[in-house]
Amino acid sequence: MTKLRSDGGRLPLRAAGVALVVCLLAVSAACSRGKAPSKNVIQDTGSDTMVNLAQAWAEEYAKVDPSVSVEVSGGGSGTGIAALIEGTVDIANCSRSVEPQEVAQAKKNTGKEPREFKVGYDALAVYVHKNNPMTDITFEQLAQIYGEGETVTKWSQLGVKMPAGADEIIRVSRQSNSGTYAYFREAVLGKGRDFKLGSRDMQGSKDVVELVSKTPQAIGYSGMGYATPEVKMLHVARKAGDQFYAPTVENTLNHTYPIARPLFMYTLGEPSGGVKKYMDWVHSDAGQQIVVKSGYVPLPRGGDTAK
Amino acid sequence: MQHRRRWELVVEKGIEALIRLCGISAIVFVFGIFFFVFREGAGFLVHGFNPREFFTSVEWYPTSQSHVRYGVLALIAGTAGVTALAMAIAVPFGIGSAIFISEFCGVRAKETLKIVIELLAAIPSVVWGFIGLTVMNPLIMRLFGAPIGLNVLNGGVILALMSVPIIVSIGEDALKAVPDSYREAGLALGVTRWQLVHRVLLPAAKNGLLAAVLLGVGRAVGETMAVLMATGHAVKIPTSVMDSVRTLTATIAAELGEAPVHSDHYQVLFIIGILLFMITFVVNLTADLVVRGIRNR
């Protein structure tokens, strides 16, 4: 289900998924009322960047505690928060922090305040096709490519020599409610600025990398965990003259890579019971190992130093 | 005996009422759908909605932090562009196939063709989208040297393939409805087969054929998943068939899941739904009036 969902058929699948979940919940509620404790289900929804990671956690946790099953679905950070506000999930995955208005909404709707857990880091990588000669990029250049009102549309304007006739930059972006979109907008374009219209807005993190890997003239941004051999991750600097850094674990933890962001899980109020146990396990060494395996950056040991 | 007949009468009345209920339920459902879609969008439609910006601006920034703008002109242009291209491909093919199936081929070929065309209609739209993404995309890049193959052409071809079955089956019905006496009269006058089709059958069936085309248009306008995957999803007024576009339907599919319920963004997506509802309503109404035109002639 989640695998399929990260492809195209999101809406109908989501509707089916919601229906299924509702049925499952109804059934499990009916069962647990009558009989001895049945299987505990933790609902975990949200960020597309984190969906593979969350799935990996869920699978591993099934071995640690077989009495609990964690059901993961993607759809985007906005979806997760929206579900949290509605009170229909236990955990919302989010690749940005919640906005004050969302906290207020959740409080109004459910009476509880979302509790934030930092569970790892993601360096937001800037991807180009593997044959693109470019290796470094600055925030200014990124803003020139992506920002509203900017006029850079050709690789030659950035001093990149592409093969003849292949000069146009194909901008790949994300749909407007994605946490990755929001983070990139704020971090790179600056507060209050918007994206230039006309970019190819992809549904998922994976779709961005996939499109870039098939399109020699493309540039896109997505989580570092989605890298493939077909694409190249550019080294990034805040401004011209600064040193360029690659999106790696070390550069993320020592703050040198400039577009790294924390990944969050949110619960409604202080978690208890199975959800608390699960969150503790996610923060444990075993849980953080999986962050590494999924291509992301684990929380630093012995306290949180980054950001 | 008497008793039994009365019982049968009651059963018959009951069945009649049931069938009437089934018929009326369709009306109830359509109005129900319209009511619920309208209700979700109504709040914003009444206060805060700016029809001038909505219809004339190309700026679609539903989540901007500084200046939220809801302009759907580019989305309308994208929908229109993809639909127009799809029809430019599907109409000649569809009507041509309908003429061939109804007038020119033998019984065996006819049955085979009909089955194959119905199979075409049975392919789910997400599979069409997948074909657009994985087969058409590299093909267009190679054949036309386009920087990216997700564009109007890709979406148009996919939609054309999806609307051809409807045009063929309804077009064939329209041709079949032309009385055989027309054909016999034509042949008696010594016309060739082509003259028969061109001068007799097409004029006689023209309203039915137009209805077939308009239903094909309705299919193309309302299609979501395939265009979402095949058109590149870029907010832009297309200037050539190699431009990526975004359609109204794809915008709803892509953004509704992530828009917080009852926010402005959410309501504007429902207003787009109302707009689509009205477009397909007008197309279907036109098709219906045209078909009624046949009967009154």
Side-chain angles (χ1 to χ4, degrees):
Chain A
M1 199 83 191
T2 40
K3 279 277 145 62
L4 266 174
R5 201 169 282 178
S6 64
D7 287 327
R10 181 162 288 129
L11 207 67
L13 275 177
R14 182 182 297 155
V18 169
L20 193 72
V21 163
V22 169
C23 290
L24 281 175
L25 280 180
V27 168
S28 66
C31 288
S32 57
R33 211 167 295 155
K35 284 183 219 150
S38 69
K39 204 161 183 172
N40 278 316
V41 177
I42 297 176
Q43 297 293 335
D44 182 0
T45 296
S47 166
D48 222 83
T49 309
M50 293 167 69
V51 69
N52 286 346
L53 173 60
Q55 186 68 41
W57 269 325
E59 274 163 24
E60 193 62 32
Y61 196 65
K63 293 176 205 156
V64 177
D65 186 353
S67 71
V68 175
S69 108
V70 183
E71 292 187 352
V72 178
S73 61
S77 302
T79 311
I81 299 286
L84 198 70
I85 290 171
E86 298 282 303
T88 54
V89 287
D90 301 305
I91 301 170
N93 304 331
C94 207
S95 60
R96 59 170 170 86
S97 36
V98 294
E99 283 157 25
Q101 98 198 46
E102 290 168 332
V103 173
Q105 246 178 318
K107 225 171 167 178
K108 204 180 99 195
N109 248 9
T110 63
K112 290 179 202 155
E113 200 164 313
R115 162 89 161 87
E116 179 181 291
F117 291 93
K118 210 176 273 180
V119 293
Y121 292 90
D122 173 30
L124 195 59
V126 178
Y127 290 100
V128 292
H129 192 264
K130 67 170 194 287
N131 294 339
N132 192 317
M134 197 176 205
T135 54
D136 308 321
I137 199 157
T138 63
F139 273 23
E140 200 193 350
Q141 288 173 314
L142 279 171
Q144 282 172 346
I145 295 172
Y146 278 104
E148 190 184 18
E150 297 283 355
T151 51
V152 169
T153 57
K154 297 201 155 48
W155 287 106
S156 55
Q157 285 170 289
L158 298 172
V160 180
K161 276 210 174 68
M162 299 290 278
D167 201 20
E168 189 196 337
I169 299 175
I170 303 284
R171 276 172 291 142
V172 183
S173 185
R174 288 289 306 281
Q175 88 278 15
S176 60
N177 267 51
S178 129
T180 307
Y181 174 97
Y183 176 77
F184 190 84
R185 179 174 63 191
E186 189 167 332
V188 177
L189 303 184
K191 254 209 152 64
R193 269 192 86 184
D194 278 309
F195 281 96
K196 209 190 296 182
L197 288 171
S199 54
R200 276 72 177 176
D201 304 333
M202 294 293 113
Q203 278 287 294
S205 304
K206 191 172 131 268
D207 304 350
V208 171
V209 180
E210 195 124 325
L211 189 63
V212 172
S213 73
K214 285 183 187 147
T215 314
Q217 288 158 254
I219 183 166
Y221 57 88
S222 187
M224 65 193 282
Y226 288 92
T228 69
E230 303 297 307
V231 291
K232 189 159 72 175
M233 296 195 265
L234 295 180
H235 296 202
V236 182
R238 267 177 206 285
K239 53 181 191 287
D242 282 8
Q243 201 184 330
F244 291 92
Y245 290 98
T248 60
V249 174
E250 304 82 63
N251 290 347
T252 304
L253 286 178
N254 64 22
H255 309 280
T256 50
Y257 186 71
I259 30 179
R261 57 180 174 170
L263 300 172
F264 299 107
M265 280 174 148
Y266 286 92
T267 57
L268 268 181
E270 200 58 42
S272 58
V275 179
K276 179 171 170 29
K277 258 193 194 157
Y278 184 59
M279 293 307 301
D280 288 345
W281 176 79
V282 162
H283 283 98
S284 73
D285 272 355
Q288 290 297 307
Q289 277 296 311
I290 290 165
V291 178
V292 181
K293 258 189 226 157
S294 302
Y296 293 105
V297 180
L299 297 169
R301 276 160 201 247
D304 192 351
T305 56
K307 210 168 186 183
Chain B
M1 197 65 187
Q2 189 85 46
H3 178 75
R4 201 176 145 191
R5 194 165 292 162
R6 193 177 297 156
W7 175 239
E8 277 173 0
L9 206 70
V10 168
V11 169
E12 197 165 301
K13 285 274 179 223
I15 290 175
E16 203 183 298
L18 193 73
I19 290 173
R20 176 168 298 168
L21 194 75
C22 291
I24 291 171
S25 69
I27 300 174
V28 174
F29 286 143
V30 169
F31 278 97
I33 289 168
F34 187 73
F35 172 72
F36 285 111
V37 170
F38 197 80
R39 194 187 62 175
E40 293 295 326
F44 194 67
L45 209 54
V46 175
H47 21 78
F49 182 62
N50 178 353
R52 204 166 137 222
E53 181 192 74
F54 188 70
F55 287 111
T56 61
S57 163
V58 297
E59 297 189 344
W60 177 252
Y61 284 110
T63 61
S64 170
Q65 288 187 318
S66 54
H67 181 197
V68 175
R69 281 150 285 175
Y70 302 112
V72 296
L73 186 63
L75 310 184
I76 294 174
T79 303
V82 173
T83 307
L85 181 69
M87 286 305 113
I89 301 168
V91 169
F93 269 99
I95 301 291
S97 311
I99 292 171
F100 180 72
I101 289 174
S102 133
E103 306 299 326
F104 288 90
C105 68
V107 180
R108 217 153 157 206
K110 185 173 177 163
E111 289 311 312
T112 320
L113 273 175
K114 278 177 100 167
I115 290 170
V116 170
I117 285 168
E118 270 157 31
L119 268 180
L120 212 57
I123 298 173
S125 68
V126 69
V127 174
W128 282 119
F130 200 65
I131 292 171
L133 201 60
T134 57
V135 180
M136 297 279 297
N137 178 25
L139 204 65
I140 290 172
M141 283 167 78
R142 203 172 320 138
L143 289 181
F144 298 94
I148 185 169
L150 302 176
N151 50 27
V152 176
L153 180 64
N154 193 335
V157 169
I158 296 286
L159 282 184
L161 284 164
M162 294 177 78
S163 359
V164 156
I166 289 183
I167 298 179
V168 173
S169 61
I170 299 190
E172 201 226 334
D173 285 348
L175 287 168
K176 218 162 45 186
V178 177
D180 274 343
S181 57
Y182 283 36
R183 294 185 181 83
E184 286 153 9
L187 292 173
L189 288 171
V191 299
T192 62
R193 269 178 137 179
W194 167 240
Q195 282 170 326
L196 183 71
V197 168
H198 179 59
R199 293 283 176 79
V200 180
L201 297 177
L202 286 187
K206 105 181 154 224
N207 289 340
L209 294 176
L210 188 58
V213 171
L214 288 177
L215 285 173
V217 172
R219 174 96 169 99
V221 170
E223 175 45 44
T224 303
M225 212 60 237
V227 285
L228 174 61
M229 294 167 82
T231 57
H233 212 52
V235 182
K236 188 176 180 186
I237 291 186
T239 52
S240 84
V241 293
M242 290 300 153
D243 276 351
S244 293
V245 291
R246 189 198 273 215
T247 64
L248 293 165
T249 48
T251 302
I252 298 178
E255 294 180 4
L256 190 60
E258 297 217 28
V261 178
H262 301 313
S263 63
D264 286 354
H265 184 192
Y266 178 86
Q267 297 188 20
V268 166
L269 290 174
F270 272 91
I271 293 172
I272 294 182
I274 296 171
L275 179 66
L276 275 167
F277 195 90
M278 290 198 289
I279 292 173
T280 40
F281 179 72
V282 167
V283 170
N284 280 350
L285 190 70
T286 317
D288 199 52
L289 291 176
V290 165
V291 171
R292 203 162 296 171
I294 305 177
R295 291 206 201 105
N296 292 346
R297 257 155 57 104

